[in-house]
């Protein structure tokens, strides 16, 4: 098995064991807005969305109203 094939197999096994995909459908115009905001922040769209979710969760759990 080549080194490239071994890496691909490792990545696939890692993803199966450690990751959970979350499908997210947005209108094309909204995606372009998110993409532009992510680029302005120097992040990928995926990273930008993950950070937004983390920030919201942090805000919601630290808010005394909840």
């Amino acid at each position: 098995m080549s080194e490239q094939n071994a890496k691909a197999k490792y990545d696939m096994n890692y993803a199966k064991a450690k990751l959970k995909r979350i499908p997210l459908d947005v209108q094309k115009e909204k995606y372009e807005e998110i993409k532009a905001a992510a680029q302005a922040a120097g992040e990928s769209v995926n990273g930008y969305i993950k950070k937004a979710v983390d920030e919201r969760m942090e805000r919601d759990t630290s808010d005394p109203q909840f």
Side-chain angles (χ1 to χ4, degrees):
M1 181 181 298
S2 74
E3 192 172 318
Q4 186 176 8
N5 288 342
K7 171 82 166 95
K9 185 175 181 177
Y10 171 83
D11 289 346
M12 193 179 320
N13 288 336
Y14 178 87
K16 284 181 183 179
K18 304 284 186 176
L19 303 177
K20 176 66 177 161
R21 293 194 54 78
I22 302 173
L24 176 65
D25 297 327
V26 296
Q27 293 180 335
K28 289 180 181 182
E29 296 81 20
K30 188 66 172 179
Y31 174 79
E32 293 302 324
E33 290 178 38
I34 295 167
K35 184 178 175 183
Q39 287 176 336
E43 300 174 352
S44 67
V45 171
N46 188 30
Y48 187 83
I49 292 170
K50 287 178 184 179
K51 186 175 178 183
V53 169
D54 288 343
E55 289 176 3
R56 171 71 185 265
M57 289 171 52
E58 177 67 28
R59 186 172 64 240
D60 286 353
T61 58
S62 65
D63 191 340
Q65 294 177 358
F66 294 101

